[in-house]
Amino acid sequence: MNGKFRKISKKDLLIGLDRIINDGRKLAALTRKGEKVLYDYVTKSDEILMQYIPTVLSPKKFFLPQDEVILEYTTKGKVTAKIEAESMVLFGIKPCDLHGIKILDEAFAESNGDPNYLAKREKSLIIGLDCSRLCDEKAFCYKVNAQNITTGCDFMLHNTGIDFAVTVYTEKGAEQLDKYFQTEIKSENILDDFNQAKAAAFSKFGTFKQLKQLPEIFENNKNHSVWQTEGDKCLSCGSCILVCPTCYCFDVADEMALNLKKGERIRRWDACMLNSFAVVAGNDNFREEPKDRLKHRINRKFNYLMKKHGESVCVGCGRCVRACLVNISPKTIAETITGELSTGG
Amino acid sequence: MNSNNKLNIKPKDENLYLPEKATITKIKNFTDKELFFELELQNNKPLGHIPGQFIQLSILGIGEAPISISSPPGADNKFEICVRAVGDVTNKLHSFNVGDEIFIRGPFGHGFDDSIIQKMYRKHILFIAGGIGYVPLRSLINKVLKEPELYEKISILYGCKTPDEIMYKEEIAEVAEMGKNIEFLKTVDHGDENWTGNTGVITTLIPQVKFNPLNTIAIIAGPPVMYKFVLISLINKGMPKSNIYMSLERRMKCGVGKCGHCKMEGIYVCKEGPVFNYADIENNEEVL
């Protein structure tokens, strides 16, 4: 911004994050709970992990919780919409997940805006934390160029080793950065070193050779043998969907309180990989076989929704690959279909 | 700043998950499994639907289910549905009485809009309904029957498994008597001792209708298996795919293109359908 570069020291970063907490705002960040590393609310900045370790669940859970009450009602027929949205700051969100948030923003803001998602999203501030290298061997963000995507956040931090360079993306980001954080304006480009190191770390990895053509290629390969071979392995457990930052399908269910005087309508994560997902009255199932469901899910990432969003909806975070019990990977499927795998690409 | 950050994430004023209250004003027993309901919106506004659209019907504590609107668009706040008891919501609805309250959201979906209706004028309209598929078509059938002179001819083919499953019996008898350019043909898969009409699947009625496939618009609704054979039959007669409209069924959970349950490859049936031109979806593998 303004042709100038801003930086923030590690110390000032932590002070700023504590100010956010002391202001009564919820702060979610990468943290440790027992053996587990996850995104969760923290009460002090020293609970935050700066070094990224892949999490099981993506930050989508803060905007689209696993279970969410959308209506409350009484048996007498009084119905009220319920929207729970608190002022929230997400800190340390990685480029792949920022890309995921952007996809969800577009999906939920479209035509009939989703009131619950948008309310949460509107009250949130998202602080990105750039990656300087691939987080593990399961991640394949580079295949869809998601390591370089920096949209979906309000401002982004780049760890230069000594301190953090800051890139501001939104007006809200600029305003909140000034409100909570002590930053320094630099005239020299402090991002250069970071960018060079990052480019070097990713230099041996390339995108899918025909990244832009993936929708067309997938459209023309509905009968490819990979659907059968990978589908035969699939256990239809749905894990890939629960951990995916861009899967947003949901189920809606009514639950009554024990006194049977009031109840709630709840929306909860659902999974198109589960057998029952496309069943209609009379028990007709429009995706009966695991291969049909796998084809549907992967086509949503690289074809149907990619056409709509104009970019890959798989962000290459690798979470589904880590979660899959039988080693099914969108990367392998896409490489098989594009022919990259057989040519050693 | 990046233009991608300009996306408007401000929530809309209207909550699309909040339903409206409606009162049951009439119930008729059609068959063992299907009941007819007339509903009255308590907000005193017309539902504002077009033929082919659906509502999400709620029974608090039980859940929500997509239900076709079976009455033609009207000026008052009443509309009709016909419901087969197959799931939690529909079974509960069958236990309700006149005066009871339910909740609805909608109307939703892309129905038989003006562009389709205009394409139908001066054409031979061939309705083909199988079983409960008559319900989503009835809204359009009754609209067309209000001004039959706008169409060259109106043929309605209706097939059920048994005579007991035929719905709207009185209304159908009246339509069959209307004469002029209107014909109504029924068939059942299996007749009983009193049945003197056609026996056989619905495709056996198609050869009984004289139609010029190029000047006929076919409108189909029924179980998935029925579409397969009806489509073969019409296309073999030389009907262009773009002359065929289908109303499809999926189990929508949201009705507004979010939950993913009705997705047919890249198409949300709840938004882009449930009414489709066959030419637009013939290559979609998940239609039937």
Side-chain angles (χ1 to χ4, degrees):
Chain A
M1 294 191 86
N2 310 327
K4 283 176 187 162
F5 298 92
R6 295 174 79 160
K7 71 162 199 171
I8 180 167
S9 71
K10 273 185 184 164
K11 193 178 147 221
D12 285 331
L13 176 64
L14 296 180
I15 290 172
L17 292 170
D18 280 322
R19 277 189 196 132
I20 289 172
I21 297 167
N22 294 336
D23 223 5
R25 297 177 78 174
K26 282 194 152 180
L27 178 71
L30 194 69
T31 187
R32 202 179 283 277
K33 282 235 166 123
E35 298 282 290
K36 300 266 193 308
V37 169
L38 74 170
Y39 284 104
D40 203 355
Y41 296 113
V42 294
T43 52
K44 272 203 306 241
S45 67
D46 61 10
E47 295 166 24
I48 298 172
L49 294 177
M50 289 290 172
Q51 184 63 55
Y52 183 68
I53 295 166
T55 59
V56 174
L57 295 183
S58 80
K60 112 180 149 185
K61 65 183 180 181
F62 295 107
F63 305 119
L64 184 66
Q66 221 155 346
D67 280 284
E68 179 175 25
V69 177
I70 56 173
L71 293 182
E72 286 178 325
Y73 46 79
T74 65
T75 37
K76 289 191 173 146
K78 187 177 185 304
V79 187
T80 37
K82 188 164 182 200
I83 295 174
E84 269 184 56
E86 286 180 273
S87 176
M88 170 170 65
V89 178
L90 296 191
F91 172 78
I93 309 303
K94 295 288 164 178
C96 57
D97 285 335
L98 293 174
H99 182 118
I101 289 169
K102 177 175 169 272
I103 299 283
L104 293 191
D105 283 354
E106 289 171 2
F108 282 104
E110 179 188 48
S111 52
N112 307 296
D114 184 280
N116 298 70
Y117 178 93
L118 294 178
K120 288 186 175 61
R121 192 60 189 81
E122 195 194 24
K123 288 197 165 185
S124 67
L125 176 78
I126 299 178
I127 305 173
L129 184 55
D130 206 351
C131 291
S132 56
R133 57 175 178 81
L134 200 61
C135 57
D136 73 1
E137 78 288 355
K138 299 278 171 65
F140 55 95
C141 48
Y142 55 89
K143 279 291 191 186
V144 292
N145 207 17
Q147 80 277 19
N148 289 324
I149 285 166
T150 50
T151 58
C153 70
D154 294 296
F155 64 86
M156 179 80 139
L157 302 174
H158 318 266
N159 191 341
T160 61
I162 314 153
D163 39 29
F164 293 89
V166 188
T167 312
V168 176
Y169 286 95
T170 65
E171 281 163 27
K172 180 160 80 180
E175 179 213 320
Q176 299 285 306
L177 180 66
D178 285 339
K179 183 175 174 190
Y180 292 110
F181 299 93
Q182 178 74 46
T183 59
E184 245 182 273
I185 310 273
K186 290 290 203 185
S187 54
E188 77 267 23
N189 191 344
I190 47 171
L191 250 179
D192 264 358
D193 286 350
F194 176 87
N195 284 341
Q196 276 173 26
K198 178 171 179 170
F202 280 96
S203 65
K204 58 183 168 185
F205 307 111
T207 63
F208 290 116
K209 282 177 188 156
Q210 295 160 290
L211 178 59
K212 288 233 159 63
Q213 288 78 44
L214 286 182
E216 199 189 328
I217 295 168
F218 272 80
E219 193 63 45
N220 293 332
N221 278 285
K222 295 269 170 69
N223 297 316
H224 196 286
S225 60
V226 74
W227 302 121
Q228 188 72 56
T229 52
E230 295 300 290
D232 283 348
K233 285 159 50 182
C234 178
L235 304 171
S236 300
C237 70
S239 299
C240 49
I241 287 173
L242 304 185
V243 301
C244 179
T246 65
C247 274
Y248 57 87
C249 288
F250 56 82
D251 191 18
V252 180
D254 277 29
E255 286 182 6
M256 292 298 290
L258 282 174
N259 66 12
L260 295 181
K261 285 184 177 155
K262 57 184 186 173
E264 296 170 331
R265 180 158 295 163
I266 294 167
R267 95 147 126 218
R268 53 173 59 110
W269 293 355
D270 205 347
C272 67
M273 294 297 289
L274 301 178
N275 182 34
S276 60
F277 189 83
V279 169
V280 299
N283 276 330
D284 272 312
N285 188 346
F286 289 93
R287 284 186 287 276
E288 230 164 1
E289 303 291 324
K291 75 167 163 57
D292 304 329
R293 300 192 286 272
L294 181 69
K295 193 199 299 188
H296 183 71
R297 172 165 194 266
I298 303 294
N299 268 283
R300 258 173 87 88
K301 304 299 172 193
F302 294 125
N303 178 8
Y304 314 142
L305 291 183
M306 184 168 171
K307 274 183 207 145
K308 192 163 118 187
H309 294 277
E311 57 192 331
S312 172
V313 169
C314 171
V315 301
C317 66
R319 286 190 178 90
C320 61
V321 185
R322 292 177 205 108
C324 185
L325 299 167
V326 292
N327 297 319
I328 295 173
S329 160
K331 173 174 170 272
T332 316
I333 292 172
E335 285 176 338
T336 307
I337 284 182
T338 56
E340 282 179 48
L341 209 58
S342 56
T343 58
Chain B
M1 294 197 193
N2 194 306
S3 62
N4 286 329
N5 280 308
K6 291 281 160 64
L7 183 75
N8 185 7
I9 51 165
K10 201 171 161 49
K12 315 274 187 292
D13 292 334
E14 205 176 323
N15 187 314
L16 51 87
Y17 300 127
L18 189 64
E20 293 277 350
K21 211 179 258 187
T23 311
I24 300 172
T25 45
K26 251 184 229 166
I27 300 177
K28 273 193 242 170
N29 205 341
F30 269 171
T31 71
D32 286 349
K33 290 179 291 184
E34 284 110 3
L35 290 182
F36 162 96
F37 296 86
E38 182 190 70
L39 303 171
E40 187 179 62
L41 280 168
Q42 291 192 5
N43 64 12
N44 282 323
K45 289 180 197 157
L47 181 62
H49 69 289
I50 62 170
Q53 285 190 301
F54 67 97
I55 54 162
Q56 289 285 123
L57 187 147
S58 281
I59 297 176
L60 301 180
I62 306 291
E64 222 178 19
I67 305 285
S68 303
I69 304 155
S70 69
S71 50
D76 64 6
N77 59 336
K78 289 184 176 175
F79 65 96
E80 298 164 10
I81 57 173
C82 174
V83 178
R84 178 180 285 180
V86 284
D88 296 342
V89 174
T90 50
N91 270 300
K92 185 71 185 174
L93 184 66
H94 273 227
S95 74
F96 277 24
N97 299 306
V98 169
D100 286 344
E101 287 172 347
I102 53 122
F103 286 82
I104 68 139
R105 292 189 296 126
F108 294 129
H110 177 255
F112 295 95
D113 60 18
D114 282 348
S115 73
I116 301 176
I117 303 281
Q118 284 190 8
K119 204 175 140 185
M120 288 163 55
Y121 289 152
R122 294 178 298 281
K123 298 270 172 51
H124 182 175
I125 311 301
L126 178 59
F127 289 102
I128 303 176
I132 200 161
Y134 190 79
V135 176
L137 293 194
R138 181 177 170 262
S139 174
L140 181 64
I141 290 173
N142 286 8
K143 178 184 159 79
V144 165
L145 290 176
K146 278 183 189 169
E147 299 174 296
E149 64 283 0
L150 295 176
Y151 311 91
E152 184 194 88
K153 192 178 168 192
I154 299 157
S155 304
I156 305 165
L157 316 187
Y158 179 26
C160 289
K161 281 187 186 142
T162 64
D164 291 342
E165 293 190 1
I166 296 172
M167 297 176 289
Y168 299 100
K169 284 196 176 83
E170 291 164 23
E171 188 176 298
I172 285 171
E174 283 173 28
V175 175
E177 296 296 311
M178 280 175 85
K180 291 188 276 188
N181 58 343
I182 301 161
E183 64 178 339
F184 199 111
L185 301 175
K186 294 195 293 277
T187 185
V188 294
D189 294 357
H190 311 283
D192 56 18
E193 63 272 21
N194 300 321
W195 181 255
T196 55
N198 296 294
T199 309
V201 293
I202 194 151
T203 42
T204 60
L205 292 180
I206 295 174
Q208 295 186 36
V209 181
K210 277 191 191 135
F211 64 94
N212 168 3
L214 300 176
N215 197 44
T216 302
I217 302 283
I219 296 164
I220 319 170
V225 63
M226 185 197 96
Y227 290 99
K228 279 179 203 165
F229 292 103
V230 168
L231 288 169
I232 293 171
S233 192
L234 295 176
I235 287 160
N236 283 346
K237 286 253 181 190
M239 186 176 285
K241 287 167 184 168
S242 59
N243 281 19
I244 303 173
Y245 288 90
M246 306 155 70
S247 174
L248 300 180
E249 181 203 2
R250 290 295 185 278
R251 194 161 176 202
M252 298 87 173
K253 295 292 172 93
C254 73
V256 291
K258 309 268 182 240
C259 80
H261 280 266
C262 69
K263 265 249 162 161
M264 189 170 81
E265 294 197 344
I267 294 172
Y268 279 99
V269 175
C270 69
K271 276 178 81 180
E272 292 161 72
V275 172
F276 291 98
N277 185 297
Y278 180 51
D280 294 336
I281 53 168
E282 61 168 320
N283 295 321
N284 189 311
E285 289 181 1
E286 296 181 344
V287 172
L288 298 175

